[in-house]
Amino acid sequence: MAYRTVPSLRFDERKMERPRVPRTEELEFGGPTGISLLTVGMPALGLYLLLTCNTKSASVLEGPGPAPSLQSLWNPIAMALVLGWVALQVGLHLLPIGEPHLGVTLSNNTRLRYKINAFLVFNLSAILAGFAVLGKVPFQYVADHYVEFASASALLSMVLGVFLYIKSLSAPDHALAARGNSGIPLYDFFFGRELNPRIGSFDLKYFFDLQLVNASWGMILLCLLVRDITAHGSSCHALVLVSGFQAFYILDSLWYQEMILTTMGFVHHGFGFALAFRDLCWVPFIHSLQVYYLVRHPYELKTSAAIGIIILNAVGYTIYRESNTMKHAFRLDPTDPHLARYRIQTIQSTSGRRLFLGGWWRVVRHPNYLGDIIMALAWSLPCGFNHLLPYFYFVYLTIFLAYRAAKDEQRCLRKYGQAWQEYCRRVPYKIFPCIY
């Protein structure tokens, strides 16, 4: 993989203007009341889904039965292994490997330096995992105690969220995130007060939101696959297919790892409990829900259906990758000659910024979201149609991305004004062509 090395920036901090980040005025999800419900509701929903998956009926309407006791969710071995896994990833990240890369310009006209090595670290983790498999390490233990590992990860995310909030209280004003700077402790704890919290040069948001989340997701897939093979002597085709789709998605995210530095979420959102819970618990355990479901409820997939699903996933990936690559290239250099094949057109805003039309961005305003949703459907279809449970991720992602698209467009309207209105006139659909 080719990395773009950039020179360091030198500036006189005494002469550097350090503007204050304005207070958060528009509170999302109903403000403190809604945030309170989400803080409790997200872990509860994840627990409900995993416990339901363990039942014979796997019915989201019937549920898992009586609520489990707190003691049944606590496993000190699971917590020790989760902490050990995080420590291992930290150690691998600190190795002198990778290339330096500068992030976007911040509000105080500085750019943070990142060590881009998540793909290399993932490969090292995979090699270590391979040796562990050969050494007969019982990876199936994670699958057999899946709920307990998810509970440990959720608890760790809560502790991390508290640490991040306390740390943000000593952060300078220019380092705060506009979304999590409301002055309401619970609200700011949830969204994250500090935009890019660091311990020295160790960037916590980059580590958790790119390296750890993908490495943990990949490790969960390995544990579930080993569990299935251990139990049945082989793995069903549907499980292998979904695992393959998700593993490819992980590798793709890591291969294009530097693109995360220009994404709207990474640039504008702080690092708080919401992102910590997503990285430590939600993505590794809930995004892999289809695989866990197939371990508990095997399903035989016909060859013709598998081929159709592979094609569907390929279509979704093509839309997702091409649109994201194009967006990233345009943000770095609007004159990039590689963009010529997309027949780029631009719309000039009064602020001097430009919007572009080209490729999939001529079809809908958020084609990367469309590709993601198509892939989510392809990950669910191999589970068959006996239960709604494995389609939770597809439904949840569709609703979440529709909400995010609406918030993105509000921000773009404020940022680009009439230029954004003109873009919406030329591209009338947000995510789904001719529908929405």
Side-chain angles (χ1 to χ4, degrees):
M1 177 179 181
Y3 297 98
R4 182 178 298 178
T5 305
V6 290
S8 60
L9 298 182
R10 295 180 180 177
F11 56 89
D12 187 345
E13 291 190 357
R14 294 170 297 179
K15 299 179 181 180
M16 185 64 61
E17 180 184 2
R18 297 189 180 275
R20 294 177 62 89
V21 174
R23 286 282 190 181
T24 305
E25 297 180 356
E26 181 183 352
L27 301 183
E28 299 183 43
F29 302 119
T33 301
I35 293 303
S36 299
L37 294 175
L38 283 175
T39 302
V40 177
M42 289 193 309
L45 176 59
L47 179 63
Y48 180 88
L49 293 170
L50 296 180
L51 291 174
T52 299
C53 194
N54 285 338
T55 63
K56 185 176 181 180
S57 64
S59 171
V60 292
L61 300 179
E62 295 179 8
S69 64
L70 294 178
Q71 185 178 2
S72 67
L73 300 177
W74 170 251
N75 183 340
I77 296 177
M79 177 58 80
L81 290 175
V82 169
L83 291 173
W85 170 251
V86 174
L88 172 64
Q89 291 301 308
V90 170
L92 293 176
H93 177 76
L94 293 176
L95 292 176
I97 56 177
E99 297 289 342
H101 199 98
L102 292 183
V104 300
T105 303
L106 302 176
S107 61
N108 63 336
N109 296 320
T110 63
R111 299 173 69 185
L112 294 176
R113 179 177 292 273
Y114 295 87
K115 184 169 67 171
I116 303 296
N117 65 357
F119 184 77
L120 296 174
V121 168
F122 184 85
N123 288 333
L124 289 176
S125 301
I127 292 172
L128 293 175
F131 281 115
V133 170
L134 294 176
K136 306 298 183 182
V137 172
F139 283 96
Q140 63 271 19
Y141 181 84
V142 176
D144 292 335
H145 300 269
Y146 205 69
V147 175
E148 295 162 20
F149 274 90
S151 299
S153 299
L155 178 60
L156 182 59
S157 69
M158 181 64 71
V159 173
L160 177 60
V162 172
F163 166 78
L164 291 168
Y165 179 76
I166 294 174
K167 181 181 181 302
S168 71
L169 297 178
S170 60
D173 289 337
H174 70 272
L176 303 182
R179 191 188 190 197
N181 188 28
S182 68
I184 304 172
L186 178 61
Y187 189 91
D188 297 342
F189 156 80
F190 183 85
F191 281 113
R193 258 185 108 243
E194 194 171 358
L195 183 62
N196 300 290
R198 291 189 163 202
I199 299 176
S201 62
F202 187 86
D203 192 280
L204 294 169
K205 185 161 70 170
Y206 172 86
F207 171 76
F208 281 92
D209 204 30
L210 182 68
Q211 178 184 322
L212 184 68
V213 65
N214 284 293
S216 300
W217 189 2
M219 178 56 68
I220 289 295
L221 294 178
L222 174 63
C223 293
L224 294 175
L225 187 62
V226 171
R227 171 64 176 82
D228 199 51
I229 294 175
T230 302
H232 305 107
S234 63
S235 191
C236 70
H237 294 164
L239 189 149
V240 172
L241 189 63
V242 179
S243 299
F245 287 159
Q246 296 190 2
F248 181 81
Y249 186 89
I250 293 169
L251 289 171
D252 175 82
S253 299
L254 294 172
W255 180 258
Y256 294 100
Q257 58 193 309
E258 71 278 3
M259 291 188 182
I260 193 176
L261 302 180
T262 60
T263 59
M264 191 164 291
F266 196 86
V267 171
H268 295 286
H269 297 173
F271 187 30
F273 168 72
L275 200 54
F277 178 76
R278 170 193 176 274
D279 296 340
L280 283 165
C281 185
W282 190 262
V283 171
F285 293 93
I286 303 302
H287 285 204
S288 58
L289 183 63
Q290 300 96 328
V291 183
Y292 186 56
Y293 170 85
L294 288 169
V295 169
R296 298 292 181 178
H297 309 275
Y299 180 79
E300 292 299 326
L301 188 65
K302 294 182 179 179
T303 302
S304 57
I307 294 174
I309 294 171
I310 291 172
I311 294 173
L312 180 66
N313 189 76
V315 170
Y317 171 76
T318 300
I319 298 173
Y320 168 83
R321 177 44 54 210
E322 284 195 354
S323 57
N324 274 325
T325 300
M326 180 180 175
K327 176 181 67 175
H328 179 73
F330 185 85
R331 285 176 173 173
L332 289 180
D333 181 10
T335 64
D336 189 334
H338 293 95
L339 293 172
R341 65 189 180 98
Y342 295 110
R343 297 183 292 114
I344 292 290
Q345 296 180 6
T346 60
I347 302 175
Q348 188 78 28
S349 69
T350 56
S351 64
R353 300 175 181 271
R354 289 186 292 173
L355 295 170
F356 69 92
L357 293 92
W360 294 103
W361 297 92
R362 292 177 183 270
V363 181
V364 291
R365 299 176 214 161
H366 305 275
N368 49 340
Y369 294 172
L370 173 62
D372 234 341
I373 291 171
I374 292 174
M375 284 190 288
L377 178 60
W379 298 357
S380 301
L381 288 173
C383 301
F385 300 99
N386 295 328
H387 299 286
L388 295 175
L389 183 63
Y391 289 85
F392 167 79
Y393 174 64
F394 166 69
V395 174
Y396 146 77
L397 187 69
T398 302
I399 296 173
F400 174 74
L401 291 181
Y403 170 80
R404 174 180 278 187
K407 300 301 293 185
D408 289 348
E409 297 205 358
Q410 291 176 9
R411 186 181 294 109
C412 288
L413 180 60
R414 292 192 296 266
K415 185 176 182 180
Y416 300 109
Q418 292 183 347
W420 178 255
Q421 294 177 335
E422 173 62 18
Y423 176 70
C424 293
R425 186 189 67 80
R426 296 194 195 184
V427 185
Y429 297 104
K430 295 181 180 180
I431 299 178
F432 302 102
C434 303
I435 299 175
Y436 172 76

